[in-house]
């Protein structure tokens, strides 16, 4: 959905037309939809707006998906949820050439707009492309390269836009829609699902579907517009500009499910051996509690100290328990503290709540986490047994 911010494109985007420039009667404005790419930030596909006018000799793409890895505060802002993205405008053939190199399909939907509407849209984009207006705070689900064109067209057409919700056949949550585009058994999906809370688990409204470029394409294909001649199709024509095979969302190799299953087998084997010998492997307990504590601290940080709209209410804290970070150091000692067994009961109860939370739909947990939960439950039960025995 995103495209790296090239210096060349930035320089081109700074060239602006006079505010009095008017598109001719031969102009066209189109929604450009690109298929998914290979990188994680390209998995959702991409949406942009094309303005073409043979009289003015222009053919420009207006792209709201521009970011800059070289920004000195890029990673800090990314973590804090204050990611700045920009609208850039540049010759359309740059975008088409890039998509061709990446082997991503590209489709064009020409909007059924009159000349006045095309000029309103054109001038809106030109104002937004100015350096002082180009930046905005990006939200991957509610304010991105697809929702921006959606909102612009809606603001231009107002009541003349007849939005058709018929593109939705089976209502889904925002998380389910995301998992269609990023394979749940990939590390990128696993990280996103762990970091974000149950705001993703509500059933998406028809407009919320449109954070995904392909659904914006489908919605506009069915929508109408009120014209002087009555109600007509919003899309005048659809054309495939690049016809590549759709890139499927594949699992990573090795996948999270595979790695956590291997870890489950290892931990079960060590635990059975510990049980037979009447001891415990302290380094294993330290690693498990330390790592789950770190996950818990990350969840707390994202929930309470960042601007991510989907980070709050994250029930992954049921297994990523922040106090585990401190407890890990107590478990590294040979002697159990008397309060450890009560704390372990608390952890076991939290783990048992996870399937209830998942089944009731309060929050859906990604399936590669199953062996990890079983691993933790198995080890906690063993530690509780040995703690009770020693105390």
């Amino acid at each position: 959905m995103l495209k790296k911010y090239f210096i060349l494109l930035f320089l081109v985007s700074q060239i602006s037309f006079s505010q009095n420039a008017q598109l001719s009667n031969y102009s066209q404005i189109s929604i450009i939809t690109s298929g998914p790419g290979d990188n994680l930030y390209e998995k959702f596909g991409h949406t942009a707006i094309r303005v073409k006018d043979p009289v003015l000799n222009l053919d420009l793409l207006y792209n709201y998906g521009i970011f800059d890895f070289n920004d000195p505060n890029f990673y800090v802002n990314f973590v804090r949820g204050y990611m700045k993205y920009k609208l850039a405008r540049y010759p359309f053939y740059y975008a088409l050439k890039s998509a061709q190199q990446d082997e991503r399909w590209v489709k064009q939907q020409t909007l059924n707009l009159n000349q006045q509407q095309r000029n309103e849209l054109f001038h809106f984009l030109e104002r937004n492309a100015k350096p002082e207006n180009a930046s905005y705070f990006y939200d991957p689900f509610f304010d991105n390269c697809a929702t921006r064109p959606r909102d612009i067209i809606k603001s231009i057409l107002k009541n003349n836009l007849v939005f058709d919700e018929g593109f939705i056949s089976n209502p889904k949550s925002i998380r389910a829609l995301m998992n269609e585009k990023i394979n749940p058994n990939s590390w990128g999906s696993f990280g996103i699902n762990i970091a974000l809370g149950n705001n993703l688990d509500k059933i998406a409204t028809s407009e919320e579907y449109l954070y995904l470029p392909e659904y914006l394409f489908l919605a506009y294909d069915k929508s109408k517009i009120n014209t002087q001649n009555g109600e007509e199709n919003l899309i005048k024509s659809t054309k495939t500009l690049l016809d590549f095979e759709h890139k499927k969302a594949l699992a990573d190799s090795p996948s999270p499910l595979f790695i956590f299953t291997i870890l489950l087998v290892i931990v079960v084997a060590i635990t059975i051996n510990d049980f037979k010998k009447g001891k415990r492997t302290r380094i294993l307990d330290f690693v498990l509690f330390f790592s789950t504590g770190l996950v818990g601290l990350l969840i707390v940080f994202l929930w309470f100290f960042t601007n991510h709209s989907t980070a709050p209410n994250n029930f992954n804290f049921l297994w990523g328990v922040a106090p585990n970070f401190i407890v890990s150091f107590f478990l590294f000692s040979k002697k159990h503290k008397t309060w450890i067994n009560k704390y372990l009961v608390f952890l076991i109860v939290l783990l048992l709540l996870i399937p209830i939370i998942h089944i009731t739909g309060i929050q859906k947990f990604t399936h590669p986490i199953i062996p990890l939960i079983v691993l933790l439950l198995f080890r906690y039960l063993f530690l509780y047994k040995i703690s009770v025995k020693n105390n």
Side-chain angles (χ1 to χ4, degrees):
M1 188 181 289
L2 313 173
K3 200 68 178 175
K4 191 175 180 182
Y5 195 172
F6 293 107
I7 295 177
L8 174 62
L9 301 186
F10 174 78
L11 293 175
V12 172
S13 69
Q14 304 312 300
I15 304 171
S16 60
F17 293 99
S18 165
Q19 291 186 355
N20 297 322
Q22 297 291 317
L23 296 178
S24 74
N25 193 44
Y26 298 97
S27 61
Q28 292 182 339
I29 295 184
S30 306
I31 299 297
I32 302 297
T33 305
S34 304
D38 296 318
N39 297 311
L40 177 61
Y41 57 83
E42 298 172 330
K43 294 294 185 182
F44 293 125
H46 187 58
T47 298
I49 301 175
R50 181 185 186 183
V51 177
K52 185 177 181 179
D53 191 336
V55 175
L56 295 180
N57 193 31
L58 64 86
D59 189 1
L60 298 172
L61 191 78
Y62 293 80
N63 181 358
Y64 277 95
I66 300 299
F67 65 94
D68 184 7
F69 276 129
N70 297 318
D71 184 334
N73 298 317
F74 178 85
Y75 293 103
V76 173
N77 289 333
F78 176 80
V79 171
R80 294 179 61 241
Y82 290 97
M83 277 296 296
K84 272 196 173 182
Y85 288 68
K86 293 186 178 183
L87 167 63
R89 56 189 283 288
Y90 47 87
F92 176 69
Y93 69 85
Y94 281 132
L96 203 61
K97 182 178 180 180
S98 176
Q100 187 168 28
Q101 291 173 342
D102 294 339
E103 297 185 349
R104 299 170 66 180
W105 58 259
V106 177
K107 296 180 181 180
Q108 173 178 280
Q109 294 172 298
T110 302
L111 295 169
N112 186 14
L113 307 178
N114 59 39
Q115 188 175 2
Q116 179 182 344
Q117 291 167 336
R118 292 197 299 273
N119 272 295
E120 285 184 28
L121 183 48
F122 172 60
H123 292 149
F124 183 97
L125 293 170
E126 279 297 301
R127 288 193 299 272
N128 269 246
K130 292 181 178 180
E132 63 269 25
N133 301 328
S135 297
Y136 71 101
F137 286 118
Y138 172 84
D139 186 303
F141 302 102
F142 303 110
D143 196 354
N144 62 23
C145 72
T147 63
R148 286 268 159 166
R150 175 201 68 187
D151 294 342
I152 293 169
I153 291 171
K154 186 177 179 180
S155 68
I156 297 296
L157 296 182
K158 298 182 175 63
N159 294 333
N160 289 320
L161 175 63
V162 183
F163 185 70
D164 191 329
E165 299 182 358
F167 67 95
I168 301 175
S169 57
N170 180 27
K172 298 177 181 179
S173 69
I174 298 175
R175 190 187 303 274
L177 293 172
M178 176 190 73
N179 287 331
E180 288 181 350
K181 304 303 177 184
I182 308 178
N183 192 299
N185 200 18
S186 64
W187 291 105
S189 175
F190 182 79
I192 294 172
N193 276 290
I194 295 306
L196 303 182
N198 72 352
N199 288 343
L200 290 181
D201 292 291
K202 67 173 185 175
I203 298 300
T205 66
S206 57
E207 287 209 350
E208 287 173 340
Y209 265 72
L210 307 190
Y211 85 88
L212 293 172
E214 287 187 54
Y215 281 106
L216 183 66
F217 179 93
L218 293 174
Y220 279 179
D221 187 58
K222 290 183 173 292
S223 295
K224 306 291 183 180
I225 183 173
N226 291 318
T227 71
Q228 291 181 340
N229 299 322
E231 190 174 274
E232 298 180 358
N233 292 330
L234 174 63
I235 303 302
K236 183 185 297 184
S237 64
T238 300
K239 184 178 181 180
T240 299
L241 303 181
L242 291 176
D243 190 14
F244 288 104
E245 184 177 351
H246 187 87
K247 295 184 178 182
K248 297 180 180 179
L250 302 176
D252 286 338
S253 181
S255 68
L257 182 61
F258 174 79
I259 294 297
F260 292 132
T261 300
I262 295 297
L263 290 176
L264 170 61
V265 172
I266 293 172
V267 170
V268 168
I270 294 175
T271 302
I272 292 174
N273 186 61
D274 285 351
F275 181 77
K276 289 179 179 179
K277 294 183 176 181
K279 66 176 185 65
R280 66 183 181 89
T281 305
R282 287 179 293 148
I283 187 64
L284 172 61
D285 297 330
F286 175 79
V287 170
L288 288 180
F289 276 74
F290 185 84
S291 57
T292 54
L294 280 180
V295 172
L297 290 174
L298 175 63
I299 290 171
V300 170
F301 173 75
L302 292 173
W303 187 335
F304 295 102
F305 301 102
T306 72
N307 193 48
H308 294 287
S309 63
T310 49
N313 308 321
N314 187 351
F315 283 85
N316 281 291
F317 77 84
L318 294 173
W319 66 270
V321 184
N324 277 7
F325 180 81
I326 298 174
V327 176
S328 65
F329 294 96
F330 288 97
L331 286 175
F332 200 66
S333 65
K334 290 184 178 181
K335 187 176 180 181
H336 263 175
K337 301 296 182 181
T338 55
W339 52 266
I340 288 290
N341 57 340
K342 294 180 180 179
Y343 183 73
L344 288 167
V345 171
F346 171 69
L347 294 180
I348 291 168
V349 170
L350 292 183
L351 291 180
L352 293 176
L353 287 174
I354 290 177
I356 299 173
I357 299 295
H358 180 82
I359 293 171
T360 56
I362 295 174
Q363 179 169 325
K364 291 294 184 179
F365 293 86
T366 183
H367 72 265
I369 206 176
I370 295 174
L372 180 58
I373 301 303
V374 175
L375 176 160
L376 292 173
L377 182 60
F378 193 81
R379 190 66 185 181
Y380 290 166
L381 287 170
F382 165 75
L383 290 175
Y384 174 73
K385 184 177 180 63
I386 199 172
S387 176
V388 171
K389 182 180 178 180
N390 293 337
N391 290 288

